[in-house]
Amino acid sequence: MKIPAKTIIWLTLGAAVVLSLIWQFVPLRDASARLNAIPMSGLGYQGRELPLAEVETSIYSPARVVKRLYQVGRQQVIMVAIDGSRNRHAIHDPTYCFRGAGWTMGTARDIRVLGGYARVLSLTKAGRSVEAMYWLSDGRTRHASALQYWWQTTWRRITLGHSGEEPILFVLQPVNRESLDWEMLLRQFPGLLES
């Protein structure tokens, strides 16, 4: 028995409506517990909360964002960690934000971290050169791929959260220097890679 194409289209449309209603009314667990678990201080590092700028608040809302200044050994770094559970558009490839702020992309290199890799970007603007590092983490794996993030979050929504935790975007930038010893910073501050 052959099912008419029109019936298949209506069944598919009906399934899509049912799934969208389920996704609308079944909230997924966010990453708040993992954001709260990022340590403020420990052996060799000390942090303090930083307020979000007005433009950051408007971009990220209603996503949950943690912004801190850390002193790690002799290095100072600003960390921004974003949970996009309530606003998936808050998390995107950080290179878009850097370009939007007037930075020109230079080289990009990946460094190995617990459970995957992080990406270090070289940026220039008005004759000034700096580096920034970022990665996405679901608590087990770490990567710097916007496409992989999209797949993770899409599959997570389809499975109603049973496929894993919501990925958090971590962005690190030096405060008063052009670059940092990223590997040493992560060795001295292992708590960054535990969330």
Side-chain angles (χ1 to χ4, degrees):
M1 180 173 144
K2 190 173 181 180
I3 301 173
K6 196 181 253 187
T7 303
I8 292 173
I9 291 171
W10 281 107
L11 287 172
T12 303
L13 181 62
V17 168
V18 168
L19 281 175
S20 67
L21 288 173
I22 289 172
W23 292 331
Q24 193 72 10
F25 297 108
V26 177
L28 296 178
R29 185 176 68 246
D30 65 13
S32 288
R34 290 179 30 237
L35 284 177
N36 293 338
I38 300 170
M40 185 68 79
S41 61
L43 184 62
Y45 63 90
Q46 178 68 41
R48 68 177 172 88
E49 298 289 339
L50 293 176
L52 292 178
E54 203 172 300
V55 69
E56 290 173 320
T57 302
S58 67
I59 290 170
Y60 297 136
S61 183
R64 175 127 188 267
V65 181
V66 172
K67 184 177 180 181
R68 293 181 181 158
L69 170 67
Y70 282 102
Q71 179 77 40
V72 183
R74 294 184 174 181
Q75 303 183 98
Q76 281 192 326
V77 64
I78 293 176
M79 177 210 70
V80 176
I82 307 164
D83 168 14
S85 302
R86 293 188 181 99
N87 178 4
R88 288 179 70 189
H89 301 292
I91 294 187
H92 48 273
D93 187 338
T95 60
Y96 296 133
C97 288
F98 291 126
R99 284 187 183 111
W103 293 95
T104 301
M105 296 292 122
T107 60
R109 63 184 169 90
D110 294 341
I111 60 171
R112 293 202 111 344
V113 297
L114 177 68
Y117 69 97
R119 181 151 299 147
V120 176
L121 300 173
S122 296
L123 308 164
T124 57
K125 177 168 120 176
R128 182 174 176 230
S129 296
V130 297
E131 286 186 341
M133 181 169 66
Y134 72 95
W135 70 88
L136 291 137
S137 170
D138 65 4
R140 294 175 308 170
T141 62
R142 281 143 201 91
H143 60 84
S145 169
L147 182 61
Q148 186 174 344
Y149 166 77
W150 183 83
W151 279 113
Q152 282 178 299
T153 57
T154 300
W155 185 243
R156 187 170 184 268
R157 288 176 192 278
I158 289 170
T159 63
L160 300 177
H162 295 290
S163 65
E165 295 293 325
E166 182 73 20
I168 296 172
L169 172 64
F170 288 86
V171 180
L172 303 176
Q173 295 176 272
V175 175
N176 294 319
R177 299 165 72 177
E178 291 80 30
S179 65
L180 298 175
D181 184 339
W182 297 108
E183 289 87 355
M184 180 177 286
L185 182 130
L186 293 174
R187 277 195 307 274
Q188 291 178 320
F189 189 180
L192 271 179
L193 295 172
E194 293 171 1
S195 296

